[in-house]
Amino acid sequence: KRAVVKAFKLTSRVTHVVLVHEPSGGIFVQKRSSLKDSYPSTFDPASGGYCNSGEAYEDCAVREIKEEMGIDLTGKLTFVSPVFFEDDIVSQWGYMYSALTSVSPGDLQLQEEEVESIKLMQPEEIIALGKKNPSAFIPDGLLAFQIYQDKNSASI
């Protein structure tokens, strides 16, 4: 099914989660695996993934973070915004969430086929690198992070 979705560039349902390290305020940024078929070895400041058929967005977000990082965010997600993204490769409609965690990056259980590594970056670092070298990021993740930042600054 996924091959058909990609071949015809059908709009997929997705989730994004900006995961904030509670003590430091850093954002958990994934380095995607080099084995990924789209945007390999790029950074993702808003981790998540594709929803299964009939799966609720929040359930998808919880499942994806649990699979990719080993963190259970059940009941800990805050809805941020709907997100639409389209480029030459994908068309996506989804929901974005944020969550706080005190788990250290070194304590995560990474899904090797999805995630090469995780590092904490301050929001300013992500913004600066995104402006200097946008191709270092998966584009939908960078867009989701920018929306998160816009919403976060508006509420301060």
Side-chain angles (χ1 to χ4, degrees):
K1 293 180 184 179
R2 193 141 171 197
V4 172
V5 168
K6 286 188 174 197
F8 292 99
K9 200 175 132 186
L10 303 174
T11 301
S12 300
R13 293 182 329 113
V14 299
T15 59
H16 300 278
V17 178
V18 174
L19 189 58
V20 181
H21 187 242
E22 200 164 12
S24 71
I27 306 297
F28 285 79
V29 177
Q30 289 187 0
K31 182 168 186 192
R32 291 166 54 86
S33 167
S34 62
L35 305 174
K36 297 292 286 179
D37 61 350
S38 60
Y39 307 105
S41 301
T42 55
F43 294 115
D44 190 353
S47 306
Y50 290 90
C51 298
N52 292 325
S53 179
E55 184 177 32
Y57 285 106
E58 188 168 335
D59 294 340
C60 173
V62 167
R63 176 183 54 77
E64 285 287 343
I65 297 301
K66 179 74 172 162
E67 288 174 1
E68 294 179 3
M69 296 189 213
I71 300 174
D72 185 359
L73 295 177
T74 303
K76 298 177 183 174
L77 294 175
T78 300
F79 177 77
V80 176
S81 176
V83 179
F84 178 76
F85 176 81
E86 185 171 41
D87 66 6
D88 293 339
I89 298 172
V90 298
S91 176
Q92 302 173 340
W93 169 257
Y95 281 6
M96 180 180 32
Y97 300 90
S98 65
L100 296 172
T101 185
S102 58
V103 174
S104 297
D107 294 332
L108 300 176
Q109 299 167 354
L110 304 182
Q111 185 181 25
E112 292 178 13
E113 58 273 11
E114 297 277 335
V115 183
E116 183 177 307
S117 63
I118 299 274
K119 68 179 183 176
L120 288 179
M121 292 178 73
Q122 291 301 314
E124 315 78 58
E125 294 176 274
I126 297 169
I127 292 165
L129 182 57
K131 286 180 181 176
K132 180 180 175 184
N133 186 11
S135 63
F137 290 92
I138 184 168
D140 61 318
L142 187 57
L143 172 66
F145 178 75
Q146 290 166 338
I147 292 169
Y148 166 80
Q149 277 297 105
D150 290 346
K151 295 265 185 189
N152 221 23
S153 346
S155 64
I156 295 176

